[in-house]
Amino acid sequence: MMFFGLIRYSTFAICVWMTLVCLVLIPVWPWLWMPALVFGGLSVLGVRDLRQTNHAILRNYPVLGHLRFLFEMIRPEIRQYLLESDHDEEPFSREARGIVYQRAKNVEDKRPFGTKIAVNASGYQWLTHSIRPKKILDTDFRVMVGGPDCRKPYNLSMYNISAMSFGALSANAILALSKGAKAGGFAHDTGEGGISRYHREGGGDLIYEIGTGYFGCRTPDGRFDPEKFREVAALDQVKMIEIKLSQGAKPGKGGILPGAKVTPEIAEARGVPVGVDCHSPDAHNAFSTPIELMEFIARLRDLSEGKPIGFKMCLGHRREFMCLVKAMLKTGITPDFIVIDGKEGGTGAAPLEFANHMGMPLVEGLTFAHNALRGADLREKIKIGASGKLIHAFDIAKALALGADWANSARGFMFSIGCIQAQVCHTNLCPTGVATQDKRRQRALVVPDKAVRVANFHRNTLKALGEMSGAAGLSHPSGFLPWHLMMRENDRDMVTGEDVYPYMPIGFLLREDDERFGYMKRWRRSSAESFEPFDDGV
């Protein structure tokens, strides 16, 4: 036992011994001063390890224990480049990232020798195709967003850049995304960090997102400022306004940008003081009830002179969404659009518990929102966007089949400008200059080159969506319905999307004549006047 106890210090002991040997022999072989310096440094490190109190492994394994921290540091890279299979999602598979890189570079994106996916395994999904496919020549697919009270509807692309703020992304990243959106004719969601000078310089169409911090339209004490909002909404670049209720990465949680990171450029975009902590509260202060939210929507529509107004949310308590629907019916005020963000969303750094276990995944959230609006006979007035790991044509087609009118992607477009999924976005050490405020690191991202790649990725993804739509016998991707989607339930049985995620009958909530899937239970327990439950259920 004593032997195994002493072996822990063997590396340290060898370093000390080699240092002494080299020092003794330097008069004979002068070149030994170099190894003496190396082993001497390691010996000093070993003494420090024995005396420090923060790391038990270093006290027990001086010098040698540092290998543990080295391997921990390079583990993600070793896994990503050497061990990960093409289909391991960490969080995006190598195959998924690869298709974005190829389409962004406008190079060959075909695969030889058939699929690598286990098509007979439980969970496999596919689209049904037609004996008589159609050729779709124009793949610039669009959807008109604007309800009955909207005076300036917007002809939105069916694939757009999802919300990512300046501050989370670098200046060069924002500029490349905005220029790419302008070249490709699609929209760029600003994220809740406001409209920066780089959004304006890029010139792309913007969806102005208003979060709980009201950045860009706030008073000094953090409340909504209608006059500042009117000024921002009047910008020709701003095509739609989106109220952020929650996001998939960390639903129900706000955040704080430390004062040290609030640079003059970020302060300018957000309307906050330079160098002062910048808070995003957990909840809005401009409204607190479903009816007040609808009234806020009407107010924004008036202040923006009729531009499309909507909100984004990751579904949580389904009853609360029913409260919103009842408020729409009671006030007669409806949003022009709703974006359902799946909990798969991940551009915002979040606590592990929130990232892994808080919020509803996209498929379930999307189908619930779609059917709740159908049940109240409001679906035709309100368009639905979907976001959450939608980066290739099948992802988009599936979302459309389950009720979405268009799709957004954040990380897909990050890949298009060079993101390598290093997952150090929150450290300011992004190796490709995408998610950092370090000016030297941002230099790596060459805006003219990456802007072209953004437009290429968008165009080639919609082209692939058009090919899948035509193969299904459709003239437009909006024709996808649940029965086009097939899923393998186990190793033998398969089900259609219609079996698992059916479209509920229009008006069934108003008639109260369909008790399936728990919709009526939550409808009866919801109120337009308050988000508070009648009991402990959700």
Side-chain angles (χ1 to χ4, degrees):
M1 291 298 292
M2 181 176 293
F3 170 77
F4 289 109
L6 292 175
I7 202 171
R8 293 178 292 145
Y9 303 102
S10 59
T11 304
F12 174 47
I14 290 171
C15 290
V16 173
W17 183 76
M18 288 299 296
T19 302
L20 295 174
V21 169
C22 290
L23 289 173
V24 170
L25 296 178
I26 281 177
V28 181
W29 293 298
W31 56 268
L32 286 176
W33 71 268
M34 292 183 64
L37 193 63
V38 172
F39 286 115
L42 291 174
S43 299
V44 172
L45 178 64
V47 172
R48 176 186 174 276
D49 290 343
L50 289 170
R51 293 175 60 84
Q52 60 83 36
T53 58
N54 292 328
H55 301 290
I57 194 168
L58 295 182
R59 288 172 66 86
N60 273 336
Y61 297 89
V63 182
L64 183 63
H66 286 275
L67 288 177
R68 184 258 183 192
F69 298 101
L70 173 64
F71 292 140
E72 280 284 311
M73 182 174 66
I74 66 174
R75 179 181 179 274
E77 288 80 7
I78 295 296
R79 175 178 173 81
Q80 180 168 327
Y81 291 114
L82 300 179
L83 304 178
E84 178 184 281
S85 81
D86 285 347
H87 297 99
D88 287 342
E89 295 188 359
E90 296 285 342
F92 283 87
S93 70
R94 186 174 185 84
E95 183 179 73
R97 299 194 308 272
I99 200 71
V100 177
Y101 298 146
Q102 289 169 312
R103 287 175 176 165
K105 294 175 183 177
N106 210 25
V107 298
E108 179 65 60
D109 63 354
K110 306 301 186 289
R111 296 288 188 274
F113 228 65
T115 182
K116 297 179 182 179
I117 297 176
V119 299
N120 294 316
S122 177
Y124 175 68
Q125 301 178 4
W126 68 97
L127 295 173
T128 57
H129 65 278
S130 172
I131 291 176
R132 292 183 57 82
K134 296 183 179 180
K135 183 71 173 178
I136 302 177
L137 300 177
D138 182 5
T139 57
D140 183 21
F141 303 122
R142 297 193 169 268
V143 56
M144 189 64 71
V145 180
D149 298 319
C150 176
R151 302 193 298 277
K152 296 180 179 179
Y154 176 55
N155 196 22
L156 178 70
S157 172
M158 292 188 78
Y159 195 45
N160 303 280
I161 302 172
S162 197
M164 294 180 285
S165 299
F166 171 57
L169 296 191
S170 69
N172 283 10
I174 293 292
L175 191 54
L177 290 171
S178 186
K179 284 181 175 291
K182 182 178 182 180
F186 55 99
H188 178 190
D189 193 313
T190 65
E192 67 174 308
I195 300 174
S196 70
R197 64 180 69 175
Y198 303 104
H199 289 99
R200 298 173 192 250
E201 182 182 345
D205 289 353
L206 298 177
I207 301 172
Y208 175 36
E209 183 177 274
I210 302 174
T212 56
Y214 304 105
F215 298 128
C217 60
R218 61 185 267 137
T219 61
D221 64 347
R223 306 191 75 82
F224 175 70
D225 187 322
E227 292 310 312
K228 287 184 179 178
F229 172 79
R230 189 196 302 272
E231 181 181 340
V232 173
L235 294 172
D236 185 60
Q237 268 186 276
V238 175
K239 302 301 183 182
M240 308 200 309
I241 292 96
E242 176 183 276
I243 305 165
K244 190 189 93 166
L245 301 183
S246 58
Q247 68 183 95
K250 49 179 180 179
K253 186 171 180 60
I256 180 171
L257 186 66
K261 294 185 178 181
V262 182
T263 64
E265 291 176 328
I266 291 175
E268 175 188 62
R270 300 193 178 202
V272 299
V274 178
V276 177
D277 289 352
C278 181
H279 292 266
S280 293
D282 294 340
H284 282 267
N285 58 44
F287 54 87
S288 60
T289 69
I291 287 178
E292 288 177 359
L293 173 56
M294 296 306 128
E295 292 171 344
F296 187 60
I297 288 172
R299 187 183 184 192
L300 296 186
R301 187 178 285 130
D302 182 60
L303 290 169
S304 67
E305 297 185 352
K307 290 185 177 181
I309 310 294
F311 58 83
K312 178 182 83 172
M313 68 183 302
C314 175
L315 231 70
H317 296 327
R318 287 164 288 179
R319 172 192 47 76
E320 290 183 348
F321 190 85
M322 294 292 200
C323 293
L324 296 176
V325 174
K326 282 194 172 180
M328 295 175 200
L329 294 172
K330 186 162 187 174
T331 62
I333 301 168
T334 54
D336 298 293
F337 66 93
I338 298 172
V339 175
I340 300 299
D341 196 18
K343 80 139 308 66
E344 303 93 327
T347 55
L352 181 67
E353 296 87 352
F354 277 77
N356 285 350
H357 302 292
M358 186 67 75
M360 190 175 293
L362 175 61
V363 167
E364 289 75 14
L366 173 60
T367 53
F368 186 87
H370 172 67
N371 280 326
L373 293 175
R374 283 176 62 88
D377 199 12
L378 294 173
R379 184 64 181 86
E380 293 302 312
K381 297 180 179 180
I382 302 169
K383 294 295 189 290
I384 295 180
S387 58
K389 296 186 76 173
L390 306 178
I391 66 170
H392 57 63
F394 175 75
D395 299 331
I396 301 171
K398 178 180 175 181
L400 298 176
L402 298 181
D405 293 296
W406 82 86
N408 294 334
S409 176
R411 288 168 291 181
F413 284 97
M414 286 178 68
F415 292 142
S416 76
I417 57 174
C419 170
I420 61 171
Q421 196 172 269
Q423 299 182 67
V424 291
C425 311
H426 59 300
T427 66
N428 210 33
L429 298 175
C430 175
T432 58
V434 175
T436 179
Q437 297 305 306
D438 185 326
K439 296 292 185 183
R440 291 169 297 179
R441 289 178 177 269
Q442 290 184 40
R443 287 186 64 255
L445 200 161
V446 180
V447 172
D449 174 65
K450 295 302 189 286
V452 171
R453 293 190 183 189
V454 170
N456 285 344
F457 170 59
H458 175 267
R459 183 185 65 255
N460 288 326
T461 301
L462 286 186
K463 179 182 176 183
L465 178 63
E467 291 172 346
M468 293 196 82
S469 303
L474 304 174
S475 301
H476 194 277
S478 60
F480 278 114
L481 292 167
W483 48 78
H484 288 108
L485 178 65
M486 301 291 294
M487 292 168 278
R488 190 172 294 284
E489 198 169 38
N490 52 48
D491 291 345
R492 185 186 66 182
D493 300 325
M494 62 183 184
V495 294
T496 69
E498 177 66 14
D499 296 327
V500 184
Y501 306 112
Y503 284 11
M504 297 293 284
I506 293 175
F508 79 94
L509 292 175
L510 304 179
R511 298 189 302 270
E512 299 191 3
D513 61 358
D514 196 323
E515 298 287 342
R516 289 179 297 164
F517 306 113
Y519 286 93
M520 285 308 312
K521 175 184 176 182
R522 291 173 175 83
W523 181 252
R524 296 184 182 110
R525 295 174 45 253
S526 61
S527 166
E529 285 74 22
S530 174
F531 287 112
E532 296 299 320
F534 297 153
D535 51 50
D536 294 332
V538 295

